[in-house]
């Protein structure tokens, strides 16, 4: 795993697009601060740029660096969540502008997965995480279900296929700074 983390980190630093196992499903990822890399992810997914992507951070400290004001309730949700939970925050900062939704929000998750944690810690920046499928097509449940179009579109495929257990996408909760809490996906 350490070798894969080192190689993947080098690809991210070059602005390359990766295909990697996340704490939920296989994901297409890149440096979340790199506008051109984010643009390539949208192209691979054939997704409208108006549909925002999810981003992964390693911990609360990194989250606080990229969100202007983290609502208090977010800390409780993160601490007590027993499954992967993505939270949509208001006013992200320091990230690629094409990653941020039109309403100035961004979906962020702190993965508990060992590979993702070590990768983000070594890279030291947030990483885009969007399901490894073309927009509108089903989310692949395993590496074998990822289409050739996605496999050929990325620059690097993390070689941990056999280690990824089939899971499902994360819960998504929108937290507005005005105190509003809304469940987007369970």
């Amino acid at each position: 795993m350490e070798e894969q983390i080192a190689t993947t980190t080098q690809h991210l630093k070059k602005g390359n697009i990766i295909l990697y196992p996340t704490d939920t499903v296989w994901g297409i990822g890149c440096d979340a601060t790199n506008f051109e890399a984010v643009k390539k992810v949208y192209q691979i997914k054939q997704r409208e740029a108006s549909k925002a992507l999810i981003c992964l951070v390693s911990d609360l400290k990194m989250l606080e660096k990229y969100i202007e004001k983290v609502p208090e309730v977010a800390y409780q949700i993160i601490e007590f969540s027993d499954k992967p939970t993505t939270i949509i925050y208001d006013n992200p900062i320091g990230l690629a502008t094409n990653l941020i939704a039109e309403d100035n929000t961004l979906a962020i998750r702190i993965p508990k997965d060992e590979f993702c944690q070590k990768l983000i810690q070594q890279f030291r920046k947030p990483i885009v995480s969007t399901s490894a499928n073309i927009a509108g097509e089903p989310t692949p449940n395993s590496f074998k279900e990822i289409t050739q179009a996605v496999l050929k579109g990325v620059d690097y495929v993390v070689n941990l296929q056999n280690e990824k257990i089939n899971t499902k996408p994360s819960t998504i909760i929108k937290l507005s700074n005005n105190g509003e809490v809304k469940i987007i996906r369970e």
Side-chain angles (χ1 to χ4, degrees):
M1 183 187 293
E2 298 304 321
E3 185 182 315
Q4 284 299 306
I5 290 166
T7 303
T8 307
T9 300
Q10 290 310 309
H11 278 279
L12 290 168
K13 286 179 179 177
K14 292 178 191 171
N16 288 344
I17 310 306
I18 62 168
L19 180 64
Y20 68 116
T22 73
D23 55 329
T24 58
V25 297
W26 273 84
I28 300 171
C30 69
D31 175 350
T33 66
N34 183 324
F35 184 92
E36 289 303 316
V38 171
K39 192 169 146 184
K40 286 186 218 169
V41 171
Y42 279 110
Q43 290 168 347
I44 292 167
K45 282 192 68 81
Q46 299 170 29
R47 185 173 178 160
E48 295 172 39
S50 62
K51 290 197 166 216
L53 303 170
I54 292 173
C55 165
L56 302 180
V57 296
S58 59
D59 53 29
L60 292 171
K61 187 176 177 183
M62 187 180 280
L63 173 67
E64 291 164 349
K65 181 178 177 181
Y66 292 98
I67 295 298
E68 197 172 272
K69 183 183 184 312
V70 177
E72 276 306 309
V73 70
Y75 296 102
Q76 294 169 329
I77 292 170
I78 292 165
E79 183 180 347
F80 296 111
S81 228
D82 59 350
K83 62 181 184 176
T85 302
T86 301
I87 300 175
I88 301 172
Y89 298 94
D90 289 339
N91 307 320
I93 49 177
L95 296 159
T97 54
N98 56 343
L99 184 61
I100 299 165
E102 291 174 349
D103 63 353
N104 199 32
T105 60
L106 181 62
I108 298 178
R109 183 168 73 252
I110 300 173
K112 292 182 172 93
D113 173 82
E114 182 185 10
F115 174 77
C116 287
Q117 268 296 317
K118 288 182 175 182
L119 177 63
I120 299 164
Q121 288 167 3
Q122 187 161 332
F123 185 54
R124 295 191 173 135
K125 287 196 265 185
I127 298 173
V128 167
S129 178
T130 182
S131 57
N133 60 312
I134 303 298
E137 292 183 4
T139 300
N141 290 317
S142 67
F143 182 81
K144 290 180 281 195
E145 293 179 20
I146 299 170
T147 65
Q148 284 300 308
V150 170
L151 290 168
K152 288 178 180 170
V154 300
D155 299 301
Y156 181 69
V157 177
V158 173
N159 189 17
L160 295 174
Q161 291 93 322
N162 298 330
E163 296 179 30
K164 179 65 188 149
I165 298 165
N166 300 351
T167 55
K168 53 186 192 180
S170 66
T171 297
I172 299 180
I173 300 171
K174 186 176 190 323
L175 297 182
S176 299
N177 284 342
N178 65 7
E180 185 181 329
V181 177
K182 184 177 180 183
I183 296 175
I184 307 294
R185 177 175 72 197
E186 283 194 61

